[in-house]
Amino acid sequence: IDFVEKPSVPPEIPGRPGFSFVSMGNYIFEREMLEESVLSDNEKKDSSHDFGRDIIPSLYKSHKVMAYDFSTNVLPGGDRPYWKDVGSIKAYWEAQMDLLKHPSELSLYNQQWPIRTVSYSDPPGFTYPAADHSCSVDGCLRAEASRVLGAYVRKSVLSRNCVIKPGAVVEESIIGQNVEIGENCRLRRVIVDAHNIIPPGTSIGFDPVEDAQKYHLDLASGIVVLGMPKIQLRKKLIIPGSYEQLFRSPDETGF
């Protein structure tokens, strides 16, 4: 058994020319064995401390190691198996865009094979013309409480509680939760992480030089990324006579 990191010419499976074994990076361990393996590998000075490269090849000689052939996977309802390595910004963006295809490579609507995810008690998404601007949403996925108000949104993924204001144009983008996109903004091929507020009239994704100066520009794909802003956490409120006040340390009370 051997491990080769992303070779340009992968070794073929014996007897199956044109096919290679590729690790999907998903591992299931018994906890005790995992702890023992990681601690043991940590003591090896010549190890790169990688699951695929070091730990699994060292285990198969002394433990029962099994692999699942994903190519034989059969899903109820007729859907095809789907897997994508999202180890880059481009791959992550492409995986989101895959969900917008019809038919999609990964169906979210197969009732015989539901994809379990977190559920919130937010209101439904809302679309409405506003401020003399018509409203258009084309080929998008929208989460709870996402609001498109007099804006044009095409081929994008909208997370919960985001709002896109009148006159804005958003195309081929991923919008995180609690994001506010101001009036008359233009976004194309942009990933906006949660809690960002984009001022009115901002253009992102049209001028690579300007984008690289203000944001993170992925040179391999041209996709612009706005990371999550730093959030000022509220100071803990100490109520007079409460447990927190009575049992604070001397440093906290000032005595």
Side-chain angles (χ1 to χ4, degrees), residues 166-222:
V169 176
V170 178
E171 299 179 284
E172 299 183 330
S173 296
I174 303 168
I175 309 301
Q177 68 176 12
N178 295 316
V179 166
E180 179 181 308
I181 298 177
E183 292 86 348
N184 301 313
C185 287
R186 296 192 305 154
L187 277 69
R188 183 175 63 190
R189 292 170 63 92
V190 182
I191 300 174
V192 185
D193 205 348
H195 306 294
N196 273 285
I197 298 177
I198 301 179
T202 302
S203 292
I204 308 175
F206 296 89
D207 186 337
V209 176
E210 183 178 351
D211 289 337
Q213 293 174 346
K214 295 181 178 180
Y215 317 106
H216 175 78
L217 175 64
D218 182 53
L219 298 178
S221 62

Side-chain angles (χ1 to χ4, degrees), residues 64-84:
K64 187 177 182 180
V65 178
M66 296 177 289
Y68 179 76
D69 188 350
F70 189 72
S71 66
T72 65
N73 193 37
V74 178
L75 299 181
D79 286 344
R80 296 178 56 190
Y82 175 90
W83 178 80
K84 182 185 287 285

Side-chain angles (χ1 to χ4, degrees), residues 65-228:
V65 178
M66 296 177 289
Y68 179 76
D69 188 350
F70 189 72
S71 66
T72 65
N73 193 37
V74 178
L75 299 181
D79 286 344
R80 296 178 56 190
Y82 175 90
W83 178 80
K84 182 185 287 285
D85 183 352
V86 291
S88 67
I89 289 174
K90 179 182 179 182
Y92 171 76
W93 179 86
E94 288 176 341
Q96 300 288 318
M97 295 299 109
D98 283 347
L99 298 174
L100 306 179
K101 298 176 181 178
H102 184 72
S104 173
E105 295 181 50
L106 172 62
S107 174
L108 303 179
Y109 307 102
N110 183 353
Q111 296 184 2
Q112 298 183 48
W113 192 258
I115 297 177
R116 306 297 185 185
T117 184
V118 66
S119 179
Y120 298 95
S121 56
D122 294 322
F126 184 68
T127 302
Y128 196 78
D132 297 326
H133 290 276
S134 60
C135 193
S136 176
V137 179
D138 181 21
C140 297
L141 279 181
R142 300 180 54 197
E144 304 98 321
S146 58
R147 288 164 289 164
V148 180
L149 308 176
Y152 174 78
V153 185
R154 184 184 72 86
K155 200 176 179 182
S156 296
V157 177
L158 308 183
S159 301
R160 56 187 291 261
N161 285 310
C162 68
V163 57
I164 304 176
K165 294 189 173 182
V169 176
V170 178
E171 299 179 284
E172 299 183 330
S173 296
I174 303 168
I175 309 301
Q177 68 176 12
N178 295 316
V179 166
E180 179 181 308
I181 298 177
E183 292 86 348
N184 301 313
C185 287
R186 296 192 305 154
L187 277 69
R188 183 175 63 190
R189 292 170 63 92
V190 182
I191 300 174
V192 185
D193 205 348
H195 306 294
N196 273 285
I197 298 177
I198 301 179
T202 302
S203 292
I204 308 175
F206 296 89
D207 186 337
V209 176
E210 183 178 351
D211 289 337
Q213 293 174 346
K214 295 181 178 180
Y215 317 106
H216 175 78
L217 175 64
D218 182 53
L219 298 178
S221 62
I223 296 168
V224 183
V225 180
L226 278 67
M228 184 185 298

Side-chain angles (χ1 to χ4, degrees), residues 28-39:
I28 300 176
F29 284 84
E30 292 182 355
R31 184 177 63 84
E32 293 80 4
M33 180 185 296
L34 175 60
E35 291 176 349
E36 177 185 333
S37 303
V38 171
L39 292 173

